[in-house]
Amino acid sequence: MGKCFPRIYDFAMAPLERKKLKGFRKNLIANAEGRVLEIGSGTGVNFGFYLPIRTKYVDAIEPNPDMKERSVKRIEAASVPIQVHLVGAEKLPFPDNTFDSVVATLVFCTIPDPEQALREIQRVSKPGSSILLFEHVRMNDSPFLAKIQEKLTPLWKKVCDGCHLNRNTKELILQSGLKVTHVNTYYKGLFVTMNCTNSKRR
Ligand SMILES: C[S@@+](CC[C@H](N)C(=O)[O-])C[C@H]1O[C@@H](n2cnc3c(N)ncnc32)[C@H](O)[C@@H]1O
């Protein structure tokens, strides 16, 4: 787990955040209600978007201590109570059916075992809960751009602390058993927002 990536993350992302990503995050997180689990919260970029009229409490998980440390100011500035737990998504320290909503942004690209993380998310979230995702994904609609993603991935992984630029996260979600209720794609399919429901039985 790198120390350099947490240091540059906010600075490197700032232009894109201002231009577009902030809007994607805001719209998505406006739907997070009740007790919320946020996966891989990083420097806490999402923390300011939780609305106290909908979100009661956020348990965030983040395995990189340097990322967690950098989110402290945003926890203090947030309008809802937030606790960050230093763990990975593949083994969540919560009982079954704990959460009303789950939020994950730009994180499935980096999780070493995304299928296991999806199973854990389904386990700890309640039947009918909302799973709100914003991810960059493999650009399946453009074979040329997908090929560029493939070529860049080995270097990208080194620079961006394990991030797979070419990960087929949209397909992983579609195969996961979650009920996908709404999908939006942006930048020729590089980014996707997905609103899903945990359709497991009570
Ligand atoms: C690109 S950053 C995104 C941070 C934040 N979610 C955002 O939208 O800005 C990816 C994050 O995933 C975290 N991560 C890496 N492995 C993880 C795992 N197994 N479970 C949960 N998060 C993980 C990294 O530490 C990093 O903070």
Side-chain angles (χ1 to χ4, degrees), residues 9 25 40 42 45 62-64 67 88-90 105-107 110-112:
Y9 186 70
R25 293 177 189 277
V45 181
E62 169 53 56
N64 185 332
M67 282 290 199
E90 293 95 333
T105 64
L106 305 182
V107 68
T110 307
I111 294 175

Side-chain angles (χ1 to χ4, degrees), residues 171-188:
E171 203 48 44
L172 281 176
I173 306 293
L174 292 171
Q175 300 297 324
S176 69
L178 290 172
K179 184 176 170 209
V180 179
T181 54
H182 201 76
V183 181
N184 273 323
T185 55
Y186 309 90
Y187 290 105
K188 297 185 186 296

Side-chain angles (χ1 to χ4, degrees), residues 39-77:
I39 302 293
S41 51
T43 59
V45 181
N46 292 328
F47 292 170
F49 297 120
Y50 288 101
L51 303 174
I53 46 162
R54 287 187 76 93
T55 300
K56 296 291 165 247
Y57 192 93
V58 180
D59 287 283
I61 61 131
E62 169 53 56
N64 185 332
D66 294 310
M67 282 290 199
K68 179 177 183 247
E69 183 58 35
R70 279 166 194 277
S71 69
V72 170
K73 281 203 179 117
R74 287 182 170 129
I75 295 174
E76 287 162 3

